[in-house]
Amino acid sequence: SAEEDGSIDGSEAEGLEVAEAVLAQRSTEKQSPMVLELLKNLQQCAVYTDTPNSETNRKLWNAYAQSWATDADFVERMSRHVQREAKELSFVGEEWSDAASLREVLEDWLLPHLA
């Protein structure tokens, strides 16, 4: 099953795509239309160097964390996938796992290295 092999099923992948689309939309809403048009025109001429994966992940994480709220649509959708209520969450990331699975990962992978 998807839970056993760690793969993402279609509904989870769809939830991630929706969250990414929401974040992309919000980032453009906060920008000046003139700036967005300038960037669009400049992108045709720009030569990009490879951005390190860690930098890209940091930007995505920061955008996700800034948009995170227990009443955000994407948090509510993602929390349902792990049978949690969004309004009961306190921290970014709680919508990704049920409490028992998180405890198991911490006990098996993190805590042994902290002792």
Side-chain angles (χ1 to χ4, degrees), residues 5-56:
D5 68 13
S7 64
I8 296 175
D9 68 24
S11 60
E12 290 174 355
E14 181 180 309
L16 293 173
E17 290 171 7
V18 170
E20 185 177 354
V22 167
L23 291 173
Q25 179 184 359
R26 286 186 183 165
S27 70
T28 59
E29 288 173 353
K30 295 178 183 178
Q31 301 298 323
S32 158
M34 289 180 12
V35 171
L36 290 173
E37 187 62 30
L38 175 62
L39 287 173
K40 181 180 170 185
N41 291 331
L42 287 174
Q43 285 178 340
Q44 297 169 7
C45 304
V47 176
Y48 295 98
T49 59
D50 289 335
T51 303
N53 188 41
S54 60
E55 185 177 323
T56 301

Side-chain angles (χ1 to χ4, degrees), residues 23-106:
L23 291 173
Q25 179 184 359
R26 286 186 183 165
S27 70
T28 59
E29 288 173 353
K30 295 178 183 178
Q31 301 298 323
S32 158
M34 289 180 12
V35 171
L36 290 173
E37 187 62 30
L38 175 62
L39 287 173
K40 181 180 170 185
N41 291 331
L42 287 174
Q43 285 178 340
Q44 297 169 7
C45 304
V47 176
Y48 295 98
T49 59
D50 289 335
T51 303
N53 188 41
S54 60
E55 185 177 323
T56 301
N57 287 344
R58 184 177 299 111
K59 288 178 183 178
L60 289 171
W61 171 256
N62 288 343
Y64 185 92
Q66 288 173 350
S67 298
W68 192 91
T70 57
D71 60 348
D73 290 339
F74 69 97
V75 174
E76 290 176 359
R77 276 192 304 278
M78 292 179 75
S79 66
R80 284 194 299 265
H81 290 292
V82 292
Q83 293 75 44
R84 298 184 83 171
E85 292 289 329
K87 64 184 176 209
E88 297 172 1
L89 303 178
S90 301
F91 303 102
V92 175
E94 284 186 300
E95 67 278 15
W96 301 329
S97 174
D98 61 82
S101 297
L102 174 60
R103 189 171 28 262
E104 182 179 342
V105 168
L106 292 175

